[in-house]
């Protein structure tokens, strides 16, 4: 997100000087599917590498089934990765015991897409927000918990009195604010937001995005912001990673990626949605894409995008283009210059 005069993010968060808060390295999550006689390997996440710096918003975009949620869950070990590494401030998360991981997870919290499914219907808003303090007892002393719940509700733009309400009384946007307050309760440094507004009415989406941007600036929080909506991503992201069939095919600053998309897939996404004011859903932009293994050449040979790519040549069928390194890499044999 662009810096503002109220921006308290660490200096260098947006320009690359700060060390990575999170480093994801060659992460894999494969699922074995199908009946015993016809086992198939579905490469939901297939060698993903990226950094998230303190205070930075990294957006992850891609079609349905490209592996965004699995990536989010795997880096938090909500599903176990089948390969690769995740370092949080240099600490190898995949080497931690279950207890150590639970402790570490206080720094990395998640907000899910569906605020109806993610809040327990028989717990009051106050109970939902203070839930994690039962496990992490040192975060807020009991005597201060009520005040802290009230402060968290105010922070997400809800009246303090909501603490005694049940989620069924709340609108979708209000519920998502509660989910955000819950995610903030342990004072995390990184929020993983998996389509945080896409289940909400369009009119409500902007309000919740506003809350998220305000918190990002005020608290210096880093975000992994997963979204289908290219226009929203343009508004919120410092950097963008474009996923295609379990892999990152292009990454760079939002400015670079929107201004000079290098990968034909990114170009196709952007050319189909030039400067629209409304939400642009990637699944509407490129219809016909099918998720995961079924979507075409998802194996290890060649470029997975080649069957849809206007630039494809012989080499694309035989050699897999790697993402490479640098400020704006793309996994293509013929990237735009
Ligand atoms: N537990 C599982 N078992 C088998 N396959 C799975 C499992 N979870 C996800 N997948 C598959 O992995 C692929 C990636 O799914 P994922 O939910 O990560 O995609 P996504 O990019 O988040 O999609 P969406 O935009 O629809 O949320 C899909 O083909 C999905 O069917
Ligand atoms: Mg998803």
């Amino acid at each position: 997100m662009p810096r503002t005069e109220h921006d308290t993010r660490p200096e260098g968060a947006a320009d690359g000087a700060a060390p990575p808060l999170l480093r994801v390295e060659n992460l894999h999550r494969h699922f074995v599917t199908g009946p015993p006689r016809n086992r198939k390997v579905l490469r939901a996440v297939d060698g993903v590498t990226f950094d998230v710096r303190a205070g930075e918003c990294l957006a992850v975009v891609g079609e349905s089934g490209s592996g965004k949620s699995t990536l989010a869950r795997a880096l938090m070990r909500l599903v176990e990765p089948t390969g690769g590494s995740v370092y949080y401030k240099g600490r190898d998360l995949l080497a931690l015991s279950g207890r150590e991981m639970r402790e570490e997870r206080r720094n990395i919290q998640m907000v899910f897409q569906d605020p109806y499914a993610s809040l327990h219907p028989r717990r009051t808003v106050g109970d939902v927000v203070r839930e994690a303090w039962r496990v992490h007892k040192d975060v807020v002393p009991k005597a201060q918990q009520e005040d802290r719940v009230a402060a968290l509700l105010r922070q997400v733009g809800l009246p303090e009195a909501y603490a005694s309400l049940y989620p069924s009384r709340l609108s979708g946007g209000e519920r998502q604010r509660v989910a955000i307050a819950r995610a903030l309760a342990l004072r995390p440094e990184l929020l993983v937001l998996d389509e945080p507004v896409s289940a909400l009415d369009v009119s409500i989406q902007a309000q919740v995005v506003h809350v998220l941007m305000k918190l990002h600036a005020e608290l210096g929080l880093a975000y992994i912001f997963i979204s289908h909506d290219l226009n929203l991503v343009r508004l919120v992201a410092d950097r963008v990673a474009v996923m295609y069939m379990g892999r990152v095919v292009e990454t760079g600053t939002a400015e670079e990626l929107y201004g000079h998309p290098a990968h034909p897939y990114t170009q196709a996404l952007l050319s189909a949605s030039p400067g629209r004011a409304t939400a642009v859903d990637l699944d509407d932009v490129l219809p016909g894409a099918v998720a995961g293994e079924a979507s075409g050449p998802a194996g290890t040979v060649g470029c997975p995008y080649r069957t849809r790519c206007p630039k494809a040549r012989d080499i694309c069928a035989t050699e897999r283009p790697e993402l490479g390194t640098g400020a704006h890499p793309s996994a293509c044999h013929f990237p735009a210059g």
Side-chain angles (χ1 to χ4, degrees):
M1 297 178 197
R3 294 183 80 86
T4 67
E5 57 178 316
H6 305 298
D7 197 339
T8 55
R9 284 181 282 161
E11 274 303 316
D15 60 22
L21 186 66
L22 184 81
R23 167 115 185 119
V24 172
E25 224 169 72
N26 199 21
L27 197 69
H28 288 77
R29 173 64 215 206
H30 295 174
F31 294 108
V32 178
T33 61
R37 285 165 163 265
N38 192 19
R39 287 270 185 249
K40 290 196 169 127
V41 177
L42 194 147
R43 299 162 181 273
V45 174
D46 198 25
V48 168
T49 298
F50 62 81
D51 290 343
V52 182
R53 301 180 195 110
E56 175 183 53
C57 178
L58 173 76
V60 178
V61 302
E63 291 160 286
S64 188
S66 56
K68 305 179 296 296
S69 295
T70 307
L71 171 64
R73 297 173 69 81
L75 70 88
M76 296 187 69
R77 291 186 62 190
L78 297 174
V79 295
E80 283 299 325
T82 45
S85 312
V86 181
Y87 298 98
Y88 186 76
K89 291 181 165 172
R91 195 172 187 205
D92 181 0
L93 295 188
L94 303 192
L96 301 184
S97 68
R99 194 185 54 77
E100 291 168 328
M101 187 62 214
R102 271 193 297 283
E103 192 55 34
E104 197 66 48
R105 218 177 262 136
R106 70 160 71 182
N107 298 314
I108 314 173
Q109 292 287 304
M110 195 155 173
V111 175
F112 297 93
Q113 174 174 354
D114 184 356
Y116 289 87
S118 69
L119 302 184
H120 195 293
R122 283 206 263 289
R123 301 223 172 99
T124 64
V125 166
D127 289 342
V128 167
V129 173
R130 69 169 76 85
E131 194 174 274
W133 299 334
R134 291 209 305 227
V135 180
H136 301 277
K137 295 189 193 307
D138 58 318
V139 181
V140 184
K142 252 213 150 67
Q144 294 171 21
Q145 290 190 355
E146 204 175 315
D147 287 348
R148 184 77 188 123
V149 168
L152 283 163
L153 292 179
R154 281 197 306 275
Q155 219 163 12
V156 297
L158 290 176
E160 294 171 22
Y162 272 40
S164 58
L165 299 184
Y166 287 94
S168 58
R169 296 274 303 277
L170 274 49
S171 70
E174 289 172 335
R175 286 174 198 226
Q176 200 61 321
R177 286 167 195 253
V178 174
I180 295 165
R182 172 178 58 185
L184 296 178
L186 294 176
R187 302 197 179 99
E189 294 166 298
L190 171 65
L191 286 192
V192 179
L193 305 155
D194 190 356
E195 308 264 8
V197 298
S198 54
L200 306 177
D201 286 352
V202 173
S203 58
I204 307 296
Q205 287 187 358
Q207 296 170 11
V208 175
V209 168
H210 178 77
V211 168
L212 287 170
M213 290 176 81
K214 182 177 81 79
L215 294 168
H216 176 66
E218 285 177 2
L219 304 177
L221 284 170
Y223 287 168
I224 295 178
F225 196 111
I226 295 172
S227 180
H228 272 84
D229 183 343
L230 293 169
N231 286 327
L232 176 59
V233 163
R234 188 171 210 159
L235 198 69
V236 302
D238 296 309
R239 284 191 303 128
V240 183
V242 180
M243 276 190 84
Y244 186 73
M245 291 176 65
R247 296 184 188 155
V248 173
V249 295
E250 180 166 359
T251 180
T253 63
E255 207 171 41
E256 269 288 310
L257 198 124
Y258 280 81
H260 309 282
H263 196 285
Y265 177 60
T266 315
Q267 290 173 349
L269 294 179
L270 295 181
S271 66
S273 61
R276 284 195 216 161
T278 52
V280 176
D281 190 311
L282 299 189
D283 295 327
D284 298 336
V285 170
L286 288 179
V290 188
E293 182 205 47
S295 57
T300 52
V301 180
C303 172
Y305 187 59
R306 68 179 185 272
T307 53
R308 296 164 76 190
C309 182
K311 284 184 165 180
R313 308 273 189 282
D314 290 350
I315 187 176
C316 306
T318 54
E319 274 183 41
R320 180 162 109 186
E322 298 299 336
L323 181 62
T325 54
H328 180 189
S330 68
C332 178
H333 292 301
F334 306 102

